[in-house]
Amino acid sequence: MAGVNKVILLGRLGSDPEVRNLPSGGKVVTFSIATSENYNNKNGEKVEQTEWHRIELWEGLANIAEQYLKKGDMAYVEGRIRTEKWTDKEGIERNTVKIRGNALQLVGGRGAGNDGATESSSTYSGNSGGGYAPKSAPIPMPPPAEMAGSGSDDLPF
Amino acid sequence: MAGVNKVILLGRLGSDPEVRNLPSGGKVVTFSIATSENYNNKNGEKVEQTEWHRIELWEGLANIAEQYLKKGDMAYVEGRIRTEKWTDKEGIERNTVKIRGNALQLVGGRGAGNDGATESSSTYSGNSGGGYAPKSAPIPMPPPAEMAGSGSDDLPF
Amino acid sequence: MAGVNKVILLGRLGSDPEVRNLPSGGKVVTFSIATSENYNNKNGEKVEQTEWHRIELWEGLANIAEQYLKKGDMAYVEGRIRTEKWTDKEGIERNTVKIRGNALQLVGGRGAGNDGATESSSTYSGNSGGGYAPKSAPIPMPPPAEMAGSGSDDLPF
Amino acid sequence: MAGVNKVILLGRLGSDPEVRNLPSGGKVVTFSIATSENYNNKNGEKVEQTEWHRIELWEGLANIAEQYLKKGDMAYVEGRIRTEKWTDKEGIERNTVKIRGNALQLVGGRGAGNDGATESSSTYSGNSGGGYAPKSAPIPMPPPAEMAGSGSDDLPF
DNA sequence: TTTT
DNA sequence: TTTT
């Protein structure tokens, strides 16, 4: 429980949320949201650079995302960075960086696609402002142990 | 220059922005945005509590707010807390708390009121991650082109 | 449950935390932390402007603050803005703005005062990333009704 | 310029900052900071999981990091997530995720190593609250001393 | 892969 | 004063 690891994102979903039901009965929902920045490169040309953020939501937030979010929607997500190490089928070590969300705010549909409906707006929270699960959290936070193949951590030097 | 004083808000404007042109030639725009929380009180009754945040934007952000924001719109505002002390006409000391914004993101119109238009979405920044506004910031950022590869890691999908 | 109302502060305590035990058995701890910004005013003079933030912590975070924080310590606080309206003894309506904390990180003692001890560093979280109490929060969130009579606003010295 | 991509970190440096001077004359400093979370796994065992964040700072912030940060120090960093794609010597596509910092706060030395010195505390900002590079960014960093004429401002509306 |  |  040391330090602060907080991410705040506001962007659009690149695809519908993917739902995964766990043997344990839990639920995980994942999707990507895009943020972008524009700048002029050294040749003076306009460049738009898009960053894709892989979001992972558990339990309550997973349910909400499953029900209310779809491709093209804009969402506010608060969470923490989580790197998962794994080995691909070629035996190559790889890292996946995800945002484990602990708060979600829907900020409106895709415009086209929600045919005139006003955008919605509701915040839902998992636990943990700083993204740190209290040791025995009354608000349940999926134990990382369930996070299949995730875990581990080590020094980058 | 000590410490961090950062506010992140996402909510709707309670009124159109008010524009004030300064003798100095500068421009200030102010408006309020609402955020709310719902809970059950001790009698088990549902309560919605709204918090109104007085936003103040200067210069570039003031122009954008003036042009693109109106009552009912949802906006993301990042800024810092600022308490101003003043004396009212009865001679009573008072405090006003404002959010001096340094980043603004439009996240869609009011639904009704933007007659079918898709919601917009653009972030504009003043300076200062930590919320410390130099009056006329050059606003620098190295072009990503210079960012020469390093590191390692990757995704499994 | 609409919108985002999030505050992130890193600064030093202006005084020891004040502990208040509630008839209900709950506990509230309040203290102020300072952040400051430096700039040159229009006459080119260096100015340091200090902002004092009134922090209010409940239950678990209150216990931690009571035990580990003291005047001069630096702390990271995450929370939400909360304006309380009250009437002073002259019958004048007043507002008090507080930061209701939902995460706390100790980032070191005062230097002098912790005579050589290395600074500590631990994050504790109440609930609610976005600061929104889930409708029936397992981590109890004090009903605003209980908050009565807290008010006043001013500096801790 | 769409969306919000913001990261807030508070943790300790795993190594001294690495300085890289660019042919262009620019400077980049990189280092990793650790955050951790503690939880009990499904067997009830205490687990501490550390996340390492690769920080990249440019220009003004690079100078400050180079001068004032070293292994073991605690720092607050605000920035944005940036994934860089590259191909390793085996021809394998890889991603590197970095935090491009735009604000930096020193929050004290390592305890041991700054033998009794009080910890320092200063925030430096690059641009961009939301971390979005303005269209044609030069490269400088307003040194706090240069933070020329800020405000005025007030009027209690 | 979103969106403007 | 917004909105759902």
Side-chain angles (χ1 to χ4, degrees):
Chain A
M1 225 94 63
V4 172
N5 173 0
K6 177 164 287 292
V7 178
I8 287 167
L9 300 171
L10 180 59
R12 289 187 189 281
L13 279 77
S15 60
D16 286 338
E18 298 160 36
V19 181
R20 193 153 47 93
N21 289 293
L22 304 176
S24 65
K27 180 186 286 189
V28 197
V29 164
T30 52
F31 55 87
S32 291
I33 69 176
T35 58
S36 62
E37 45 181 313
N38 297 285
Y39 60 90
N40 293 339
N41 66 15
K42 51 187 168 188
N43 301 324
E45 301 152 338
K46 231 176 165 165
V47 180
E48 174 175 75
Q49 188 168 331
T50 297
E51 178 78 28
W52 285 97
H53 309 269
R54 191 83 191 145
I55 311 296
E56 188 174 87
L57 301 174
W58 289 72
E59 310 307 337
L61 293 181
N63 287 329
I64 289 160
E66 181 185 18
Q67 286 177 60
Y68 298 111
L69 288 179
K70 64 177 184 313
K71 179 176 172 174
D73 285 350
M74 181 171 280
Y76 170 94
V77 174
E78 199 181 307
R80 62 182 189 276
I81 300 174
R82 215 155 191 293
T83 300
E84 295 169 15
K85 298 181 182 310
W86 55 288
T87 306
D88 73 12
K89 49 195 176 189
E90 273 78 35
I92 299 166
E93 292 260 314
R94 293 192 177 274
N95 292 331
T96 296
V97 174
K98 290 180 177 170
I99 306 304
R100 171 74 71 95
N102 50 47
L104 176 63
Q105 164 91 29
L106 320 177
V107 289
R110 208 171 67 90
N114 71 344
D115 57 4
T118 67
E119 71 277 19
S120 53
S121 158
S122 295
T123 301
Y124 306 93
S125 293
N127 73 314
S128 183
Y132 301 95
K135 243 148 204 165
S136 49
I139 296 183
M141 202 44 189
E146 283 190 33
M147 286 196 52
S150 66
S152 107
D153 30 292
D154 18 13
L155 316 204
F157 24 53
Chain B
M1 225 91 55
V4 172
N5 172 1
K6 177 163 287 293
V7 178
I8 286 166
L9 301 171
L10 180 59
R12 289 187 189 281
L13 280 78
S15 60
D16 287 337
E18 298 159 36
V19 180
R20 194 153 47 93
N21 290 293
L22 305 177
S24 64
K27 180 186 286 189
V28 196
V29 164
T30 52
F31 54 89
S32 291
I33 69 176
T35 59
S36 62
E37 46 182 310
N38 296 285
Y39 59 88
N40 293 336
N41 67 15
K42 52 186 168 187
N43 301 326
E45 300 152 338
K46 231 175 166 166
V47 180
E48 175 175 74
Q49 188 168 331
T50 297
E51 178 78 28
W52 286 96
H53 308 269
R54 192 83 191 144
I55 311 296
E56 187 174 87
L57 302 174
W58 289 71
E59 310 306 338
L61 293 181
N63 286 329
I64 290 160
E66 181 184 19
Q67 286 177 61
Y68 298 111
L69 288 179
K70 64 177 185 314
K71 178 175 173 173
D73 285 350
M74 180 170 282
Y76 169 95
V77 174
E78 198 180 309
R80 62 181 188 276
I81 300 173
R82 215 158 192 293
T83 301
E84 294 168 15
K85 300 182 180 310
W86 53 288
T87 307
D88 72 11
K89 49 195 177 189
E90 272 79 35
I92 299 165
E93 292 259 315
R94 295 195 176 270
N95 292 333
T96 296
V97 174
K98 290 181 177 171
I99 307 304
R100 170 75 70 95
N102 51 47
L104 176 63
Q105 164 91 31
L106 319 178
V107 290
R110 206 171 70 92
N114 71 343
D115 56 4
T118 67
E119 72 276 19
S120 55
S121 158
S122 296
T123 302
Y124 306 92
S125 294
N127 74 312
S128 182
Y132 302 95
K135 207 166 207 162
S136 49
I139 304 195
M141 199 58 185
E146 284 192 37
M147 286 197 51
S150 63
S152 85
D153 18 340
D154 23 354
L155 330 193
F157 42 94
Chain C
M1 227 94 63
V4 171
N5 172 359
K6 177 164 286 293
V7 178
I8 287 167
L9 300 172
L10 179 59
R12 288 187 190 281
L13 279 77
S15 60
D16 288 337
E18 298 159 35
V19 181
R20 193 153 46 94
N21 289 293
L22 305 176
S24 64
K27 179 186 286 189
V28 196
V29 164
T30 53
F31 55 88
S32 291
I33 68 175
T35 59
S36 62
E37 46 181 312
N38 295 285
Y39 59 89
N40 293 337
N41 66 16
K42 52 188 167 187
N43 300 327
E45 300 153 338
K46 232 175 164 167
V47 180
E48 176 175 72
Q49 189 168 331
T50 297
E51 179 78 28
W52 286 96
H53 309 269
R54 192 82 191 147
I55 312 296
E56 187 174 88
L57 302 174
W58 289 72
E59 311 306 338
L61 293 181
N63 287 328
I64 291 160
E66 182 185 17
Q67 285 178 61
Y68 298 111
L69 288 179
K70 64 178 185 311
K71 178 175 173 175
D73 285 350
M74 180 170 283
Y76 169 95
V77 174
E78 198 180 308
R80 62 182 188 277
I81 300 174
R82 215 156 192 294
T83 301
E84 296 168 16
K85 298 181 181 311
W86 54 288
T87 306
D88 72 11
K89 48 195 177 190
E90 273 80 34
I92 298 165
E93 293 260 313
R94 295 194 175 270
N95 291 334
T96 297
V97 174
K98 291 180 177 173
I99 306 305
R100 172 74 71 96
N102 51 46
L104 176 64
Q105 164 91 31
L106 320 178
V107 289
R110 210 171 65 94
N114 72 343
D115 55 5
T118 66
E119 71 275 21
S120 56
S121 157
S122 296
T123 301
Y124 305 93
S125 294
N127 72 314
S128 182
Y132 300 95
K135 242 146 206 165
S136 48
I139 295 182
M141 204 47 193
E146 283 192 32
M147 293 195 46
S150 64
S152 108
D153 30 293
D154 20 18
L155 320 204
F157 25 51
Chain D
M1 226 97 60
V4 172
N5 172 1
K6 177 164 284 295
V7 178
I8 287 166
L9 301 171
L10 180 59
R12 288 186 190 281
L13 279 77
S15 60
D16 287 337
E18 298 161 35
V19 181
R20 194 153 47 92
N21 289 294
L22 305 176
S24 64
K27 179 185 286 188
V28 196
V29 164
T30 53
F31 55 87
S32 291
I33 68 175
T35 59
S36 62
E37 46 182 313
N38 296 285
Y39 58 91
N40 294 337
N41 67 15
K42 53 186 167 188
N43 301 325
E45 300 153 338
K46 231 175 167 169
V47 181
E48 175 175 71
Q49 188 168 332
T50 298
E51 178 78 28
W52 285 96
H53 309 269
R54 192 81 190 146
I55 312 296
E56 188 174 88
L57 302 174
W58 289 71
E59 310 308 335
L61 293 181
N63 287 329
I64 291 161
E66 181 185 18
Q67 286 178 59
Y68 297 111
L69 288 178
K70 65 178 185 311
K71 178 175 173 176
D73 285 350
M74 180 170 282
Y76 169 95
V77 175
E78 198 180 309
R80 62 184 188 276
I81 300 174
R82 215 153 191 295
T83 300
E84 295 168 14
K85 299 182 181 309
W86 54 289
T87 306
D88 72 11
K89 49 195 178 190
E90 273 80 33
I92 299 166
E93 292 260 312
R94 294 193 175 273
N95 292 333
T96 296
V97 175
K98 292 180 176 172
I99 306 305
R100 171 73 73 94
N102 51 47
L104 175 64
Q105 165 90 32
L106 320 177
V107 288
R110 209 171 67 91
N114 73 343
D115 55 4
T118 67
E119 72 275 23
S120 55
S121 159
S122 295
T123 300
Y124 306 94
S125 293
N127 72 312
S128 181
Y132 300 95
K135 247 142 202 170
S136 51
I139 291 189
M141 190 56 201
E146 282 189 33
M147 282 194 56
S150 65
S152 115
D153 33 302
D154 7 30
L155 311 213
F157 53 137

